[in-house]
Amino acid sequence: MLIQHFLCFLDLLSRHQFSFLCGRLAPFNIYSELIQYRSTVTARDMLSHLQMIVFGHHRWSLNGTLIDFRMDSRRLLSGGNLIIRNLDRNQDAGTYQCTAFNTQGAVLSRRASLKFAYLEFQTQMRSPVSVREGQGVVLLCGKPAYSGDLTFAWVFNEYTYFVQQDNRRFVSQETGNLYIAKVEPSDVGNYTCVVTNRVTREKVNSSPTPLVLRTDGAMGEYEPKIEVHFPDTVPAAKGSIVTLECFALGNPVPQITWRRANGTPFPSKVKMKNSNVVLEIPSFQQEDAGGYDCLAENKMGKNVARGRLLFHAKPQWIQTMRDSALAINERLFWECKANGKPKPSYSWLKNGELLEMGDRVHIENGALSIAAVNLSDAGMYQCVAENKHGVIYFSAELVVLASPPDFSKNPLRALLKARAGSMVTMECKPQAYPQAISLWKKGNEQLCHLSNRLTLLPDGTLKISNVTKTDGGIFSCQAQNQFGTASTSGTLLVTNPTKITLGPVDMEIIVGESIVLPCQITLDPALDVSFFWTFNGHVISKPTSGDLMIRNIQLNHAGKYVCVVDTDVESLSTSAFLNVKGPPGPPDMVAVEEITDSTAQLSWTSGPNNGSPITSYIIQTKTPFTVGWQAVDTVPEVIDGNTLTATVVNLNAWVEYEFRVVARNAVGMGEPSPASLKTRTEDAVPDTAPANVGGGGGAKSELVITWESVPEELQNGDGFGYIIALRPLGEVTWTHAVTSTPGVSRFVYQNDSIPPFYPFSVKVGAYNTKGQGPFSPVTTVFSAEEEPSGVPGGVWARSVSASEIEVYWQCLVSTPERVLGYEVVYWEDDTKPETVGKVRVSGNQTTAYITGLKAYSQYFLTVSAFNTAGTGPLSPTINATSKKPRECAIAT
């Protein structure tokens, strides 16, 4: 058995007062044996508390008549739930409404419609439909008795073969009929209409309708005849899907097009279906309303069907009322407003019953007013807005209050302190309905004769201006209304004013220093006092005494400092501005405006001066060839603090530079700016010649030339290399050679005609793609020389000690080669190469000492001359023996 529910919702209101709503009741299409409507409670966490303080009840009505559950065996009420057993279409169909009520009042739910879906189709034999080829035809389905939405389809001959719709064939979902614009021989056969109830999903079939062709010839061509079209006016609900059908018979088959009567194009949401036969408008809105035209056209003519869509909408709230608690005899005014199409009408319910106008009750459209409410007016009220498309309810509670004065929530202060000369305000505001009348006393004396300093306001508040010590004492207020009397009292104590005797003063201070800001006061001993300091409007300190110490001051400490003194009766403050000076902040937006091979035009923006004017700027650069940042020359040489442009000079060509700017003021040097974008100077001809040109040595017939490489930052451009110029000493013509490797620092000139150790004039220059740079000064470099050819003579040796041998020889005087010195080679044994040693002496020396020898050992020796080319031939080998070691004498 299927069970459905009507939902009664309990809505928890403020102040533990309750309004009962029955909601979410919408129309149902039911095909079942049993329906149940269940109540649920919102604010479930309050359910147990709710049941303790209020007992709620429910009742149900059908078509406006209360259901008597005592006399109805099929319907029962359980905890607000309506249960219907053994459903009966004739007895149970209709409109249901729930009423929820308790001791506070009653409210109605929305209405719910209960309908029963069914489908009944009486079938009977159908006569054949005879048409000519090319003629249009309409096959009627015949709507069955039904409740619920239907869909239609047609079967051709066999059941599984449904008619496929195209521009020639159309099944209307409005009439159920099958329309064939132009009959063809293939259309001959039996046609069956299939009707489906969307709610019950039940299907029924009509009897087959035979379609046969006449034998008296084909139908000629004719203009369109519109057989399916929408009514002249079509009501459409807001947000609904609107479907318009338009189909025409004709030969040739007509083409269907749509247009709006006002000529505006269709929005993108509009869809055309079934070869434009169906126009669908989803989520229908006000702007979709208006005239629509369907145009059917073929070559024989055209025809038009016109209609208008009318917009309608059920009511929706745009203004509602709130729960109200009013004192007896006060005026109630509530107003609710709703929009809808057509414009909704309004009515008011009290405790579920229609509220009628009376002497005190006035109703106009959505406005309700009740003059001088009394206890009988309390209850639950509902504003109802309704048009033919729907009805909505909104509920609120009216509480009418009546009570004697009560000071428990708002008594006078037991002790009220006030500064002499100030204004004192004492409120007499009991909770009373209606408002009470107030009477003031000081001590036992009634304050009847008020002065220009004492004022009694209509709400019972007593004000004393320019209060003095004599105004102190015990004050009491007595309140009275028709339900009773109450009083409250308190003491007024008048104190001397508080004064700030020493406060902070404006000052300037340098970053890193420390200061104390004073805040000293004089105070009435009856008062409590507290201090706090604010900095630029934000609380920063709450010292026990008034003074504020700031250590190691920074730039962000600059600003306004306020000392606030709070007592029981007043608040005083004193302030000072602290100006902190520091080195300038970093400049910004350093940009290279123009650059050449040796200069760069820079601009920048100034940073904060941090309390001291900027006096000058310094420009620094960094390249891939420098370590860190370095100061550079500028024009002007000294950049004053008002200048934001300068030209950097003496830069190297073809070098990538970064620039930054540093500001200075009287306090010191600031932080540098962010670096500029990397910028390369233009290329230029080299302006630096290689240094320390020299050479010499090498192999026979070679002239070796060396120099120091030009650093990359001085090469001034791409394609850097060296030009070597040389000529024999005394000659005029230079021989040139080129090397294109920037890092090379040696060149070897080879020529078999070069005599040994011959002087050459040599100079080295640099070049790049821009041109040739300067040469180095001319210097003399000798070609490679040959080893000495002479053999030293008169070689002999003597032992000097156990570890030393002295060797002698004669100088070479007639050898053509240059002699730079002599080399002595010695060894202990020819079979032991590791014992070989060498000693060299320079110039014309003819002796050499060999040390570190073994004692009493024989050594072989030979002598040869040497120069830069190597050593000459060895002299004949001689030998010498080192002395024995000396023995130590033993004393006796």
Side-chain angles (χ1 to χ4, degrees), residues 223-237:
E223 67 180 14
K225 178 184 178 184
I226 296 178
E227 286 288 341
V228 181
H229 59 82
F230 48 95
D232 293 339
T233 58
V234 178

Side-chain angles (χ1 to χ4, degrees), residues 400-411:
V400 179
L401 304 173
S403 67
D406 181 9
F407 284 102
S408 60
K409 294 183 179 180
N410 192 25

Side-chain angles (χ1 to χ4, degrees), residues 615-635:
T615 56
S616 63
Y617 291 99
I618 298 171
I619 298 178
Q620 298 175 337
T621 66
K622 185 173 72 172
T623 73
F625 314 108
T626 60
V627 178
W629 292 87
Q630 298 178 351
V632 290
D633 297 331
T634 61
V635 176

Side-chain angles (χ1 to χ4, degrees), residues 530-547:
S530 64
F531 300 87
F532 68 90
W533 283 83
T534 66
F535 171 59
N536 292 335
H538 300 284
V539 176
I540 57 172
S541 176
K542 294 184 179 181
T544 55
S545 62
D547 297 345

Side-chain angles (χ1 to χ4, degrees), residues 261-436:
N262 59 10
T264 59
F266 289 115
S268 59
K269 69 177 182 178
V270 173
K271 301 176 182 177
M272 306 290 181
K273 297 182 176 180
N274 296 349
S275 302
N276 288 355
V277 173
V278 177
L279 172 71
E280 182 179 282
I281 307 174
S283 185
F284 187 79
Q285 302 297 323
Q286 177 73 57
E287 59 269 18
D288 298 320
Y292 286 76
D293 296 344
C294 168
L295 179 65
E297 186 174 10
N298 63 13
K299 68 178 184 179
M300 301 303 295
K302 60 184 177 181
N303 205 345
V304 178
R306 293 184 171 89
R308 177 169 294 274
L309 295 182
L310 302 180
F311 175 82
H312 69 77
K314 64 182 181 180
Q316 287 186 325
W317 291 120
I318 57 176
Q319 178 180 331
T320 56
M321 65 280 194
R322 294 183 178 180
D323 298 333
S324 295
L326 300 180
I328 192 170
N329 294 327
E330 287 187 338
R331 178 177 179 268
L332 169 70
F333 180 80
W334 274 334
E335 185 175 19
C336 58
K337 293 180 181 179
N339 57 18
K341 185 111 180 196
K343 185 178 179 180
S345 61
Y346 300 92
S347 60
W348 286 84
L349 305 176
K350 178 187 176 186
N351 295 329
E353 302 293 335
L354 183 65
L355 183 63
E356 302 289 348
M357 293 182 60
D359 294 338
R360 295 182 303 107
V361 179
H362 181 70
I363 299 174
E364 184 176 358
N365 292 327
L368 167 67
S369 63
I370 304 177
V373 297
N374 55 44
L375 294 177
S376 65
D377 294 321
M380 297 299 304
Y381 289 77
Q382 287 179 282
C383 179
V384 183
E386 182 175 10
N387 64 15
K388 64 181 181 180
H389 305 296
V391 57
I392 54 177
Y393 299 79
F394 195 87
S395 304
E397 181 181 5
L398 172 62
V399 177
V400 179
L401 304 173
S403 67
D406 181 9
F407 284 102
S408 60
K409 294 183 179 180
N410 192 25
L412 285 178
R413 290 172 58 180
L415 176 62
L416 175 62
K417 298 177 182 180
R419 176 180 59 83
S422 66
M423 176 177 283
V424 174
T425 299
M426 289 183 282
E427 292 183 341
C428 183
K429 291 185 177 180
Q431 180 175 314
Y433 305 100
Q435 183 175 338

Side-chain angles (χ1 to χ4, degrees), residues 519-558:
C519 187
Q520 303 295 325
I521 64 171
T522 59
L523 180 70
D524 190 301
L527 297 175
D528 295 325
V529 65
S530 64
F531 300 87
F532 68 90
W533 283 83
T534 66
F535 171 59
N536 292 335
H538 300 284
V539 176
I540 57 172
S541 176
K542 294 184 179 181
T544 55
S545 62
D547 297 345
L548 174 67
M549 174 174 281
I550 308 175
R551 296 184 178 90
N552 188 25
I553 284 182
Q554 300 299 311
L555 291 171
N556 59 1
H557 292 148

Side-chain angles (χ1 to χ4, degrees), residues 3 67 111 122 129 156 255 268 357 364 409 465 477 595 621 652 772 880:
I3 299 178
I67 299 174
R111 299 166 188 162
Q122 295 181 356
V129 177
F156 179 59
Q255 299 296 317
S268 59
M357 293 182 60
E364 184 176 358
K409 294 183 179 180
S465 61
C477 174
I595 194 161
T621 66
N652 293 326
Q772 179 179 320

